[in-house]
Amino acid sequence: MRRTASYCLRSIALQVAQVNDDFRERLIRWNEDSGMYFNSQHQVFKVIWENLFEGILFKMKFQKPLFWVFDAIDEVDSPDLFFEALPDDVQIQKDVTQQVLQKASGCFLWVKLALDVLQSSWHTQDDIRRALTEVPHGMEQMYDHMLAKVHRQSPRYQAIASRILTWAVCSWRPLTIAELEIVLHPDFTGFLSLEETVVEIYAHFISVDESKVSIIHATARDFLLKSNAKGSTFVDSRLGHQYLAIVCLQHLCNDSWRRVFKQAEQSVELDSISSTAPHKNALLIAEEGHPFLGYATCYWAYHVSKSALNSQVLTDTLRVFFDRYCLTWIESIALSGNLRYLIRAAQYLKAFSKRISRKPALGTNAYPISLKDPPENELEVHLWAMDFTRIAGKFGINLLQRPSAIFKLIPPFCPPSSKIGQAYRNQESARMFVSELSTSGWNDCLANVSVGGDETANRVLASDMYFLSLIYEENLRVFGHVMAREMTVSQDGNILLTSDNTGTISIWTFPRLSLIYRLINENEFVRSLTFSPDSQRFYDTRGSPCNVWEPDALVRPDERDVEDQLSVGEFSAYTEAVVKKDESSKCQITALSCNDQDKYYSCGREDGSVLIHDAFEGNKLRKVLATPLPAR
C-alpha cells in the first residue's frame, strides 16, 4: 500500500492538513458532505487527485508556496501517475524529468533553484522546452544565471538587490523584514510589501522564512563573495562589513535613545514593585517600535572588526560614537542584563586594532605601527576596548542595578587618562568629582573581592562566568553552605566537585550550588579530585588507590531530551540529590586460603595486606603482613 501513488497523495493531504487550518476545515466539511472515506473503495489516484487537490487545495490561496519533495518515485507501482498534472504531452513529461535529473547531478538545491527558474515558463510547450534548454548545468553556472537575472533589472532594483544581498551575506544573524526596512531607509522607501518584493524579485538568492531574510545557501554566500573572471565580487566582504558597521553606529548615534532607555528602565522598575517575577530585559521594551535597535547594539563591533582599514567615513563615525554616544550604548547593554556584549565588543575592537597595527603606512616600507605609540590623531580603538572591559569588571554590578549610572556616577571614578575619563569625566552633568585617582590609567587588577576581615581565602577556582574562593576554617574550606577540603570545577564551568574532612564527595551545580550527588565515605581522606575532560567521570586519590567514578547524576544537557533547554543548574532544581555510600574503600580480595581444620582462613587484599579471619563468624582476627604489592 505504501508504494502506491494514491497513498502518497493521502500522505501529502494529511501533512498539509496538519499545518494549515483552512485546508483542514475544508477537508472535514468535504467529508461530511460527501460521506467519502479513504478506504479500500476510494483508493483510486484520480479520485483523490480530483476531489482533494483540484477540488480543494488548488483553489485555495496561500501566503507562502508549498514545497513537496518526492523521493524514490521510480519505486512506486505507477510512477507515470505523478505527471498527470503536467501537460498531456508525453514527450514534454519525458523531457522535463530527463533534463532535470541529468543536470541536477544529485544536487537537490539545484533542482529547487531550477524549478524556481522554470516556474514562470509553464505556458506553452515551446516555452517549457526553451526554458529547459537554458537552465545551466551545476551550481556555479546556476548562480551565474541567477546573478545575470539580477543585472538585467532596472538600476534601482539592482541597487536594492546589492543592498539586500550585502546584509544577507554579512549580517551576524538573519534580519527580520522590519529590520531590513529600517536599514534600507532612507535610500529605498515606499514598499507596499517589502517581503513580497524580496520574494518576487530576489527569491533565487534570498529566502524569507517567518519574516526572517537569509541567504538561500552557504554556497550562494561563497559565490557572491568570490572574485569572478574580471577580479571583482558582487559583495566585497570588507566593504560590506564596513557599510553594516556604519549603519549600525549611525543608528546608535541618536540623542533620542536617552529618553527611550529612561522610559524602559522606569517601566521595569514599576513592574518589579508590583510583581515578584524576575526582572524583564529592559532592552526588549526599548526595542518596541525600534526593531533595529537590538541588532545595532549587539553587533556593531563585530562588523567593525571585519571592516576595511582605510575608511575615513568609518573612522569619523567611530569618533562621533565614542565621544558622544558610547555611554548611551553602554546603558543599552546594561538594560539587557547581559554585560557579555560589552566584553565581546571590546574583543572585536582589539582585533580591529591589531589589524590596524599590522598595516604599514601607505607609500612607505615602514614597519607596523606600535599600539603603544600611535600616530597623531589616531583613533586609539584599543584604549576604548580597554575601557569597556574595565567598566564591565569594576562597575558591572552597579550598571545592572542602575543602568543610567553610566552617565553621572561612573565616569568620575574612571582614570583621567582613560578614554572615557577624557571624554566624559569633567562634563557639567557629572554629580561628583573624585580626586587622588591614578593618573597612569587603569591598573591590571580588574576586581578585588574580600572574603571578610577575619577570614583567609585559601583557594580559588574559576569558570567562564563566575569564580569562587574557599575560606580556611579549622582545616575546612567554606563557600556559602558548601564545606570542602578539596574541590575542582568541570571544564565547562557547570559542575563543582568537593570532598570534606571525612572523605565524603559531593557534586554541586555551579553557580547555584545545588547538590545533585553525594558519595558518603567513612573517614578516608581524599587527597585529590579531578574531572575527566568531558565531565562524565571524576577521579579521586586516597593513599595508594585512585578511583574512577561515573555516576548517572553527571548526565550532560545534550544527552537529555532535545526539547529540554534547561541548563544543568536549572535542571537540578527539579531533581532530588542522589546520596550513596562509598564502598570503594573495601579493598578487593586477590587471594584466599584456609587451614586444615577449617577454623580460620586468611585473605590477601589488593592493597598488599594479609588478614586472618574466624571461619565461623568471619570476624577479622589480626593483620599479619603488609606489602606494597597486591597479595597473591
Side-chain angles (χ1 to χ4, degrees):
M1 290 293 295
R2 291 178 179 269
R3 296 180 58 182
T4 63
S6 59
Y7 177 87
C8 180
L9 288 185
R10 289 191 297 119
S11 177
I12 293 173
L14 173 62
Q15 293 177 56
V16 175
Q18 288 174 333
V19 299
N20 188 280
D21 296 338
D22 187 17
F23 178 70
R24 181 167 62 249
E25 292 173 359
R26 297 189 187 200
L27 191 63
I28 294 173
R29 287 200 302 269
W30 173 83
N31 172 259
E32 293 173 349
D33 294 339
S34 66
M36 186 179 295
Y37 292 89
F38 294 126
N39 51 30
S40 57
Q41 296 177 349
H42 303 103
Q43 291 291 343
V44 180
F45 177 93
K46 189 171 184 179
V47 173
I48 300 174
W49 179 262
E50 291 178 350
N51 285 274
L52 299 191
F53 289 80
E54 293 182 341
I56 301 177
L57 189 62
F58 294 162
K59 294 180 179 180
M60 295 173 57
K61 292 183 178 181
F62 295 93
Q63 295 181 348
K64 297 180 180 180
L66 296 177
F67 294 100
W68 299 342
V69 180
F70 297 93
D71 188 20
I73 293 179
D74 57 323
E75 298 179 9
V76 301
D77 293 340
S78 303
D80 293 339
L81 290 175
F82 282 99
F83 302 102
E84 287 189 2
L86 294 176
D88 295 329
D89 189 311
V90 177
Q91 190 59 43
I92 289 181
Q93 294 178 8
K94 289 182 179 180
D95 289 345
V96 170
T97 55
Q98 181 179 356
Q99 293 190 46
V100 168
L101 292 176
Q102 180 180 0
K103 293 183 178 182
S105 300
C107 180
F108 177 75
L109 176 62
W110 185 94
V111 175
K112 193 270 180 191
L113 296 175
L115 293 177
D116 287 344
V117 173
L118 296 173
Q119 189 175 15
S120 59
S121 302
W122 303 117
H123 303 299
T124 67
Q125 296 181 7
D126 290 339
D127 290 338
I128 294 174
R129 291 194 175 95
R130 187 182 305 109
L132 283 171
T133 303
E134 293 175 354
V135 172
H137 291 267
M139 291 306 305
E140 190 79 13
Q141 292 83 352
M142 175 63 77
Y143 287 142
D144 282 328
H145 181 80
M146 291 159 51
L147 191 58
K149 184 177 180 180
V150 172
H151 288 310
R152 288 195 296 269
Q153 300 282 349
S154 67
R156 175 176 171 80
Y157 281 124
Q158 287 188 47
I160 296 175
S162 176
R163 187 73 56 84
I164 293 176
L165 290 174
T166 297
W167 278 100
V169 167
C170 298
S171 62
W172 172 274
R173 60 161 174 78
L175 296 187
T176 64
I177 288 292
E179 290 172 328
L180 185 61
E181 197 157 6
I182 295 294
V183 300
L184 291 178
H185 185 85
D187 297 328
F188 305 104
T189 59
F191 295 100
L192 298 179
S193 173
L194 179 58
E195 181 171 351
E196 290 183 5
T197 299
V198 171
V199 170
E200 291 179 7
I201 301 180
Y202 314 114
H204 298 331
F205 277 115
I206 297 294
S207 170
V208 181
D209 184 22
E210 297 181 351
S211 294
K212 293 182 179 179
V213 181
S214 59
I215 203 74
I216 194 169
H217 195 265
T219 56
R221 174 182 287 104
D222 295 339
F223 172 82
L224 293 172
L225 292 171
K226 189 179 69 173
S227 299
N228 56 26
K230 298 180 180 179
S232 61
T233 60
F234 189 80
V235 177
D236 184 288
S237 178
R238 294 294 189 200
L239 296 180
H241 282 289
Q242 173 186 304
Y243 171 74
L244 268 59
I246 292 172
V247 171
C248 290
L249 289 168
Q250 290 177 343
H251 193 74
L252 297 174
C253 294
N254 191 323
D255 293 324
S256 65
W257 293 129
R258 290 283 300 272
R259 173 181 50 81
V260 173
F261 295 158
K262 183 178 180 180
Q263 294 173 349
E265 187 173 353
Q266 291 174 343
S267 175
V268 171
E269 289 176 351
L270 291 175
D271 289 343
S272 63
I273 294 174
S274 59
S275 174
T276 58
H279 285 185
K280 295 181 180 178
N281 181 338
L283 183 60
L284 294 179
I285 299 176
E287 287 183 56
E288 295 176 1
H290 308 93
F292 188 62
L293 174 61
Y295 187 96
T297 298
C298 297
Y299 303 118
W300 67 266
Y302 163 73
H303 294 301
V304 169
S305 70
K306 303 288 185 180
S307 298
L309 300 178
N310 56 351
S311 171
Q312 189 61 45
V313 176
L314 178 59
T315 300
D316 294 340
T317 306
L318 280 170
R319 181 171 286 108
V320 172
F321 172 77
F322 287 145
D323 291 343
R324 294 182 55 188
Y325 298 99
C326 85
L327 296 191
T328 307
W329 167 70
I330 294 175
E331 181 187 21
S332 70
I333 295 293
L335 287 171
S336 74
N338 188 354
L339 295 182
R340 280 188 175 186
Y341 287 110
L342 190 57
I343 301 298
R344 187 180 297 172
Q347 294 171 340
Y348 286 133
L349 292 179
K350 287 181 180 178
F352 183 65
S353 181
K354 287 183 178 179
R355 288 178 52 218
I356 293 176
S357 69
R358 298 191 185 105
K359 184 190 72 170
L362 295 177
T364 70
N365 295 321
Y367 291 102
I369 302 170
S370 170
L371 290 180
K372 296 182 179 180
D373 186 22
E376 189 177 357
N377 296 325
E378 183 72 20
L379 191 58
E380 299 180 312
V381 173
H382 66 289
L383 295 181
W384 285 101
M386 181 188 299
D387 280 15
F388 295 157
T389 302
R390 295 298 188 267
I391 289 291
K394 293 183 178 294
F395 308 109
I397 295 178
N398 310 93
L399 279 172
L400 294 176
Q401 292 174 343
R402 178 70 64 179
S404 58
I406 189 62
F407 296 106
K408 298 180 180 180
L409 300 180
I410 292 178
F413 288 93
C414 297
S417 60
S418 66
K419 301 303 292 185
I420 288 182
Q422 293 174 11
Y424 300 99
R425 188 169 182 268
N426 296 320
Q427 288 185 352
E428 294 181 0
S429 59
R431 290 183 176 179
M432 67 179 73
F433 177 80
V434 180
S435 61
E436 303 300 327
L437 289 175
S438 171
T439 59
S440 60
W442 302 101
N443 59 43
D444 289 335
C445 181
L446 186 61
N448 186 293
V449 182
S450 175
V451 297
D454 298 331
E455 307 290 353
T456 302
N458 193 266
R459 191 173 180 183
V460 64
L461 292 176
S463 67
D464 181 41
M465 283 291 292
Y466 305 93
F467 76 92
L468 62 87
S469 60
L470 296 187
I471 61 175
Y472 189 77
E473 186 177 294
E474 295 183 358
N475 295 321
L476 199 64
R477 303 182 181 101
V478 183
F479 180 80
H481 60 279
V482 177
M483 305 183 70
R485 186 182 185 95
E486 297 294 332
M487 68 174 184
T488 188
V489 174
S490 61
Q491 287 192 2
D492 59 10
N494 288 329
I495 308 174
L496 174 67
L497 178 65
T498 66
S499 66
D500 60 20
N501 277 346
T502 66
T504 293
I505 296 175
S506 303
I507 298 178
W508 316 78
T509 62
F510 190 67
R512 293 189 177 186
L513 298 179
S514 300
L515 180 68
I516 60 175
Y517 179 80
R518 174 160 286 167
L519 190 64
I520 299 176
N521 202 331
E522 297 180 355
N523 297 316
E524 188 160 10
F525 179 68
V526 175
R527 298 182 180 276
S528 181
L529 293 165
T530 189
F531 277 106
S532 62
D534 60 2
S535 302
Q536 299 276 8
R537 302 173 180 171
F538 67 87
Y539 308 80
D540 71 64
T541 58
R542 316 175 188 188
S544 60
C546 176
N547 300 301
V548 182
W549 306 89
E550 192 175 66
D552 290 338
L554 284 180
V555 62
R556 306 305 298 146
D558 55 354
E559 292 176 346
R560 299 197 295 270
D561 184 49
V562 294
E563 298 294 330
D564 184 6
Q565 300 297 322
L566 298 177
S567 68
V568 176
E570 293 168 329
F571 176 73
S572 66
Y574 303 97
T575 60
E576 185 176 351
V578 177
V579 179
K580 295 183 177 181
K581 290 202 67 173
D582 178 9
E583 299 181 355
S584 66
S585 58
K586 298 178 181 179
C587 287
Q588 301 295 317
I589 295 176
T590 57
L592 184 68
S593 177
C594 297
N595 69 345
D596 295 339
Q597 291 79 26
D598 290 336
K599 293 183 178 181
Y600 309 100
Y601 69 88
S602 61
C603 62
R605 302 195 303 177
E606 191 175 32
D607 62 356
S609 62
V610 178
L611 294 87
I612 298 177
H613 293 257
D614 178 358
F616 296 99
E617 301 292 337
N619 296 326
K620 182 175 67 174
L621 300 179
R622 61 179 299 187
K623 185 176 182 178
V624 297
L625 182 65
T627 68
L629 298 175
R632 301 294 182 187

